[in-house]
Structure formats: structure tokens, C-alpha cells
Amino acid sequence: MSPVLHDDESRPAFADGLSIEARSVWAKHDRDTDGWLPLWRHMADSGMVAGFLWDRWLPLQVKRTIAECLPAGLDDARRLAVWLATTHDIGKASPAFACQVESLADAMRAVGLDMPPLKQFVDRKLGPHGLAGQALMQEWLVERHGWSRPNTLQVGIIVGGHHGVPPTASDVKTLVDHPDLVRTPGCEDLWRKVQWELLDRCADVCEVGDELAGWRNVRLSQPAQALLTGLVIVADWIASNPDLFPYFPDAEHSHDEDRAESAWRGLDLPELWQPSEPTGSPAEVFASRFSLPAGSRLRPVQERAMQSARSMSAPGLMVIEAPMGEGKTEAALAVAEIFAARSGAGGCLVALPTMATGNAMFPRMLDWLKCVPDLRPQPGRRSVLLAHSKAALNDDYAALVRAGSRDVRGVDTDGGSGEWRPAADQSAAPAELVAHQWLRGRKKGMLSSFVVGTIDQLLFMGLKSRHLALRHLALAGKVVVIDEAHAYDTYMNSYLDRVLSWLGSYRVPVVVLSATLPAARRRELAEAYAGDACAETDLVAVAQALGYPLITTVEPDGRIAPEPVAASGRAIHVHMERLRDDLTVLGERLTQELAGGGCVLVVRNTVDRVLETAAFLRGLFGNENVSVAHARFVDIDRADKDSDLLRRFGPPEKSRQHRPTGRHIVVASSVAEQSLDIDFDLLVSDLCPVDLLLQRIGRLHRHVRGNDQSHRPEKLRTARCLVTGADWDTLPPKPVRGSTLIYRDHALLRSAAVLELFLSGTGPHGHTVRLPEDISPMVQDAYGNGTVGPSQWQDAMAKAAAAQELHEARQEEAAQYFQIREAGRAGRPLLGWVDAGVGDADDTRRGRAQVRDTRETLEVLVVQGRADGVWTTLPGLSEKRGGLELPTDAVPQPRLGRIVAGCGLRLPYQFSIPQVLDRAIEELERNYVPAWQSKDSYWLAGELILVLDENCRTRLAGYDLRYTSTDGLEVTRAE
């Protein structure tokens, strides 16, 4: 099949019959070699690539969105996509562009296409070739094909936006006011003749001449416009690669199709995943896809999720609410497989709250993918991506990167000159799963078929940013799984709701997971996805739905069905008790509880409290019996901490030989709340929002250890949670200051009010919280509008509620500033779609702050400086990585560079204060190492270096810093 035409061997080459003037127009130039590419050739290349992309790479789910508003459906959609890719650079046939290379401009002048010299063309930047192309396309459609001018804009904007930013109305007016940018005065007719000749040839080659009349009254949806823009960008980037599409004069006589076929083989993109719907029973499907522990049974929520997915008239939104440890992730992947087969999706994105949760999920997705069949007779490779800023440090992902690396110079990261690394051993990972070389970088990476990433990668879809259409193209072809949906604040939820509205307009299937989702939030998710299609009565029913576990389905036509699901039978009764916030009291209580041994988890809301508590408890129980876990470790140590927690406190079948036989206390921050399958005999927790407390309780007696927990110490066979971190003697209780700064008073007081019945023992079950029965009622009471707590608390709680309402209103307002609008009516062009945006959406601390209501903080790479001036890697790093000497007069070897990059550390909140931040940056820049900024320094270029002395101490911006692999970073104000 021809990539442009459907099976027409007699079609002439693109350039056949073109005038000498049209042949003289150039599109690409290489200053180093003086090679060049005429515009007609780049047009032909781009159209060919678009045909390959459509036929071999683009998911059916995307094609349907483009096709739904066209008379001949998918056939028309393919023609339109290829034609737009072929014509996208027509704006280069303009003097504002052509004057840039004097030798090529002279060749055009020689055939009559006059233009001013570059230095005299002072206004030329007002007419970038994308904008000029939009204007030419619109004018040509009006003059040649009788379109109304308003209708041309929905097509023209795709040409205008192919460099990542659709023009604004102001841009269009500026070009109208400067016609000399498009045609040189005095030879306007010749310029017009050439422009129309090229556009006419594009229409002939793409076989759209007859269709254009029928498309005059078509109203392209905004989602279709965004997807076509994204597809044109991808086609342009591939066709602009000189290694794949060589420049003239070397390639002057190459045949159109031979050239394109050769380039496509050279690019070697993994082809489209074509999922087949699993046909067995839920139990059979789960057994074939997941490595389940021996003797385990399918949970009711897992079985019902698959049944619900199969019974929906079309894939839509599914919200799965179920207790911690119920296998929601496996349920979501099974549903995603069904949804993908039915919708025509070509991949899956799993979005999680943090990099740590993403790293934990990535190998689980890889294991699932190895078991998922494909409709293709000979399934090939599948492209995968771990999407966060430190993915290169993940060993699983690094192996796939090596498997997907090829030595193609021009296959860059983002369609421009780029950071690329040599090919390596391809035997390091299974050949069928690769991180393909071309599908990397912050703009193209999401085009991979299977992605695990932080929630930011999804929220960027709602952010006004350059090349936003690429992210929409990437996500519109996938099933999206959103884990830990309760973990986001008003600011992030505003972005998530906007993203869900676009996903709904693309008919992208979405699965949302949570153990502790407020009912009001459940309604917001359904309403955002379904938009105007859902009835108010159905939304009310969603908000009022009782039962837990609960599965809520939202179909594309707006039908909504919340359905309670039977519990699995896994139940735990937890005795709740308040504990005075005093370290001496804590020490005495733990001495009592651990008289017969046992493993305790103490969760503090701040790292400072973690370190203070650990230091005190070590004095009582010994250093070897107390360990800490928090986010203030360098990446290598943080990963080792997580691995050690899983090794010692994970499921019985994995931790039996390593679990402490005596007594051990882990003092942790909120990192212990999510995605770590760890199990303790006793829990002590600071007061926190009730949904987070329930997540923490999910680490208490998480697994059965012996009959009736007989393998646990006798005193700890009853699950107990001691709640501290507040002054319980005041009315209402007063949380410690650090907790208030993080969670705010309203959430903490509502949580304390809901817990009061259990802590005081005055509830119907005394001090006992029954899981899972009490999870949903506790969450709904805490996040609802009803009165909770004793009457004496109400005045303080009302003030906290008013302050919270104001805070959330400010968050919502701030979130709107850089947020794209909801999809507008069909036919409305994406004019100014990302106007006044943020530029590029970066997965950096600053970039993530665009979709999170957080202050910018500093990330540093931590090394040690010896007294003799030599720098080394940090002492104590595992696997013989510590204490290695680092060259400062040359680029470190890749292994050394990777170790240093693995010592990344985010400095704490003290360094987010503007004046402290500025001072810290100034001081850190004194550690600038020129050799490390080389383009060959993949791991270290552009990073700030924090140098510790021989005692692993330093002073920064008025604070004393100390780092140990045992406790991480300690920060105190310098005296």
C-alpha cells in the first residue's frame, strides 16, 4: 500500500511537471554541509510519513475522533491527515522565510521570486512560516475551492500550529497588516502562482481535490483539530531528520516511495499494539496475567470490575473504590485490556502521585505486558516509558533503554538537536519491550504505547504549554489509569477535572482507583468526564451512593451507574486510642508493647519529627532496633530504604526470613502511606486527614501471619493504632504546628471529630474501627458538610472551614491561570489555544509546580569533598558505590556520573523561602565544574552540586546540613 495513496502504482512523482519556480523554493538547509532540501521534497516526505503513521502506528481510537465529523469517515480522515502533513510547510514559500539562506534565496531570485536581503528584512519575524502557511491555506481554500473564510480557520490553524503554538487573533492581524511577509511587492503574482501550484500539487497527490468541496461545511471538533496538529508535528519531525531523509544533492534523484520506505525502516518504530479482548472468566484472566500468591482467590471487586467493563455499552469512566490491599491495580489493568480492545486504544498510561510510587508500579506493568496477547499474527515490540525526571536511574527502565538504543545520529529526543547516547548491549532486556530511542524526551516520550508516570504527566495535558497537541495525541490513544485519586488537593484536582473533560471528549477510557474517595469528589470526577451528557439526577445518585467497595461506571452517553460490591471477607478490627504527644510517654508505651518483641510503625507528619523521634527511641531501644524512612534521602539511599522495608516487613512469603525476630521500630514520614506493601504489628500515627490515617492503618496487620495472627507477638495480635501529634486536652484538640502547615486546620479538625467516637470509646463499637465497613462512612463524614464532633468544637471548626473555603477558592483561581479551556463547539478553531501559556512543560521541580500548588524547591546532587580537595561519591552507598573519587577536570565515566546523579536530593521547605532560595543558589553555584557541563556529561550537566565535608556536613544559606545514610539530611538553623 502506498503511504499517501491507496494502491495507485501509476501515480507520478510529486515533482513531475512542477515549474522551475516551484522547484526552486527551499525548506531545509544544513550549514555544516551546505546540503539543502527543496520544499516540494519535504512536502512529499511529510505526506509519506503521515501515511505510514496512520496505517501502522496511530490507534483506531484516535482515528475515530478525527473521522466522526467527516462525510466518508475513516477514509476521509486519512486523506485529511496526509494532506495536512503534506501542506504544513507551505508558509516556507514566502519571502520572510526564504531570505534566510542567501545562496538559496539567490537561486529563487534568479527565477523571478524576488525578496529583500535578510539584513534589510527587519519585520520578517512577524511572519513565521507556520502563520504564513495558515494564511496561504485559508486564502487558497477560499479562492480555489469556494470555502467560506470562517470555515477555513479550523483547517488553517493546524498548519499554523505545527511548531507547537497555534497563532492568536493578534498574530493573524499582524500578518494581514504586513502582506510583504507573504509576497514581495512587485512580484505578488509570481509568488501566488508558485504557492497555488504547490498547494494544487499537494491536493492532487493526496487525492483530496474532489473531497475539498465536500468538506466545505464540515465542522471539525476541537479534539480532532488537536489530534491532527499533533500528527502533523510528528510527521514533520520524522521527515525533518536528515539521517532518515538525506538532503540534496546526494538524494536529488531518489524516488518518493523508495525514500520513504527506507526512512521508515530506519526509524523502526514499534508498531501499533492491537489488543484482543480477554475471553475467559475473570478468574482465568487473572491467573493468566498476574503472578498471584499460591492459594489466593479472586476478590469480588476484581471480578465485578471485569464484568462491569464487559457489560458497558462502550468504554468510558470506571471509578473503583476498595480497601487497601484488595488488588485494585490488577483490576484496573484487566479492565484496561477490555477497554482497549473495545475502544481501539493503542496503549495504557498509569498515573501515580509520586516518583517512588511510579518506580514501584513500573515492573508490575512490565510483568503484565509480557502476558497480554496481541491480535497481530506476529506481535512485535512494544514501546514503554517510565515518565518522570529520574527515570534514567531506574534499573528496570535503564535495561529497556539499552534494548531500544540504536546508533542513529538524527533520532533525537524532541525533534531538534539533541542529547543522545551511544547504542549499548541489546541483550539487557526482552526484545519485545523496549524504550525506543526516538520515543524519548519530555515531548515525545508520552507517545510510547505503555507509560507509567507521575500524575504531573497527565495534568500537563491541561496546561497551556508548547507542543500541547503532542501530549493530547499521546493520551487520546490510550487507556488512562489514575491511582490514589484521593491524594490531590483543590489545585491539582482543578487540572485533573479539566483533563478528564478532554479525555471524555476524546472517548478515552479512564479507570480511577482509590481506597478513600470522598463522595463529592466521586461526583466531580463523573461530571468532569461526562460533561453535559449526564443528568443532574444521576450525579446526585453518584454523590449519595452507599456501599463499599463501590464501582461507578460512566458511559460516553452520560449513563452513570454506581454499584456496591461485596467485600472480600478480608476484615480487620483496629483498636483506636489517643496518645499524649510526648516522647517520654511514647517511649514508655512502646517499652510496654514490645516486651515480647514486635514490629512497630511510627508515622510522623514532618521529617523533623521523624528524626527527633528516632533519636529519642534509639536511646531507649538501641540504634540497631530503630530505623527511619522519609523523602530526605538521596535517591540511591531512598531506593535502598524502600527495598529494605519490603524485604523485612513485606508480605509473609517474601519477608519471612528477614523479619526482625525481636523488636524493631520504623519511624517514617508520609512515604509509608502509599504503594508500599509493608505490614506491622502496631501503628503509632500523628493526627492527619482521616483518609490518610486509613491509608496508614492499611500497613497494620496487612497480612495474616499464622492462624488468628498467632505468628505475631502475643500482646500485638490485636491490631491497635495510637493517635498522637495533638494536644488532646484542649477543645478542640490542637494539632502540632508542622501538621497544620501541611494539612491545614480544617482537614485535621474534621478528622479528629470523626475519630472522636473511636478514641473516646463512645461509638457503637467502642474503640474499634472495623475495616472495610467503616472506611467509607469515616471518609464521607470527614469530607462532607454535616456537623461532626462535640458541640464545644463547633466555633473553632466553623472558623477553620471558612478559612479552608477561602484557601480552596484561591487555589481554584490560581489553577485557572495557565489552564486550557474545555473543548469548545465543533468548528471553533483552536485559535490562541495556548496563548499566555508557560512555554514548555518541564518535568522539573519548577515544571511540576505548574500543576501543583507548591513552592519551587531546590534539587542538588550531593558529593563529599575531602580535605585534600578531591571530590568523592558519598560514603556508605550500597553496592560499592561509596567513596569513589570523582574527576573535576574531565567528564566522569558514565558509571560514576550515574552514581552522582543517583545522589539527587530535594532540599526541604526552608530552602523554598525566596530569599533563602536565592542565597542557596548563589552559594551552590560556587561549586560549578566546567568539565561537568560538557554536552558529553549526560548525567551531570546543568545540575547544582552540594559538597559536604569529610564529616558529611556543610553550611548553606544560613543553615547547617548533615547527611548520613542512616537518617538522611538533617537541617538546623546556623547559630
Side-chain angles (χ1 to χ4, degrees), residues 381-684:
R381 298 163 304 152
R382 295 171 182 170
S383 56
V384 297
L385 174 75
L386 178 59
H388 62 65
S389 61
K390 297 186 178 181
L393 299 173
N394 181 280
D395 290 338
D396 292 312
Y397 183 63
L400 297 176
V401 168
R402 291 193 293 273
S405 292
R406 295 165 46 249
D407 190 16
V408 179
R409 287 171 301 147
V411 180
D412 50 68
T413 54
D414 280 321
S417 60
E419 38 198 90
W420 209 232
R421 300 169 60 205
D425 179 14
Q426 295 194 19
S427 66
E432 67 273 11
L433 296 177
V434 296
H436 189 271
Q437 177 166 323
W438 195 80
L439 294 172
R440 285 182 235 164
R442 54 190 167 81
K443 293 181 181 178
K444 291 185 306 196
M446 293 294 288
L447 295 168
S448 300
S449 295
F450 297 93
V451 181
V452 173
T454 57
I455 190 67
D456 312 77
Q457 298 296 334
L458 179 61
L459 300 186
F460 284 150
M461 187 186 187
L463 180 71
K464 290 181 178 180
S465 55
R466 191 175 181 87
H467 292 109
L468 180 62
L470 274 184
R471 194 167 294 268
H472 280 239
L473 178 67
L475 291 168
K478 293 180 172 62
V479 177
V480 173
V481 177
I482 303 169
D483 201 3
E484 309 281 6
H486 56 273
Y488 311 119
D489 62 12
T490 300
Y491 188 94
M492 295 177 72
N493 281 334
S494 175
Y495 271 97
L496 181 55
D497 289 349
R498 184 55 46 86
V499 166
L500 282 172
S501 74
W502 276 89
L503 293 177
S505 70
Y506 287 124
R507 303 290 178 90
V508 169
V510 178
V511 185
V512 176
L513 307 177
S514 179
T516 52
L517 191 67
R521 185 66 192 134
R522 183 194 311 138
R523 172 192 165 132
E524 290 169 355
L525 293 169
E527 187 173 13
Y529 184 83
D532 295 336
C534 57
E536 176 64 22
T537 53
D538 288 340
L539 292 172
V540 170
V542 167
Q544 294 178 346
L546 301 175
Y548 185 81
L550 186 73
I551 293 178
T552 303
T553 56
V554 181
E555 303 198 19
D557 62 5
R559 282 183 289 174
I560 304 177
E563 178 188 5
V565 181
S568 67
R570 292 174 68 253
I572 176 174
H573 289 183
V574 180
H575 179 89
M576 305 293 294
E577 186 179 336
R578 56 170 63 94
L579 185 71
R580 188 151 61 94
D581 189 54
D582 181 279
L583 289 176
T584 301
V585 171
L586 174 65
E588 291 172 352
R589 183 61 181 270
L590 292 183
T591 300
Q592 276 183 325
E593 300 291 350
L594 296 176
C599 301
V600 180
L601 175 64
V602 179
V603 184
R604 298 305 209 189
N605 292 339
T606 67
V607 176
D608 290 342
R609 280 175 61 82
V610 168
L611 297 175
E612 179 188 29
T613 303
F616 179 83
L617 293 178
R618 283 172 180 148
L620 293 177
F621 297 97
N623 293 342
E624 70 280 5
N625 295 320
V626 179
S627 54
V628 303
H630 54 73
R632 217 185 283 173
F633 284 93
V634 298
D635 296 318
I636 290 175
D637 284 342
R638 170 78 185 275
D640 288 344
K641 288 283 181 184
D642 287 351
S643 296
D644 182 63
L645 285 173
L646 289 169
R647 183 179 64 89
R648 293 198 289 169
F649 306 106
E653 63 272 15
K654 296 181 179 179
S655 66
R656 187 172 292 112
Q657 295 180 349
H658 307 287
R659 192 175 179 90
T661 54
R663 55 189 185 179
H664 195 90
I665 304 166
V666 174
V667 189
S669 67
S670 59
V671 299
E673 280 172 15
Q674 52 200 14
S675 298
L676 282 177
D677 188 2
I678 49 179
D679 170 31
F680 290 87
D681 304 316
L682 175 68
L683 173 67
V684 181

Side-chain angles (χ1 to χ4, degrees), residues 367-382:
D367 289 343
W368 168 67
L369 276 177
K370 293 170 187 175
C371 301
V372 173
D374 196 308
L375 282 175
R376 288 178 290 172
Q378 294 181 322
R381 298 163 304 152
R382 295 171 182 170

Side-chain angles (χ1 to χ4, degrees), residues 296-352:
S296 62
R297 294 183 302 171
L298 200 63
R299 305 273 165 72
V301 73
Q302 295 174 324
E303 182 173 19
R304 189 59 197 147
M306 283 194 65
Q307 292 169 346
S308 296
R310 286 171 167 171
S311 65
M312 294 172 71
S313 62
L317 171 70
M318 179 181 290
V319 182
I320 303 175
E321 299 171 60
M324 300 68 71
E326 282 289 282
K328 294 187 293 296
T329 299
E330 288 76 14
L333 293 176
V335 168
E337 194 175 338
I338 296 170
F339 277 175
R342 293 191 170 189
S343 70
C348 181
L349 163 70
V350 181
L352 302 111

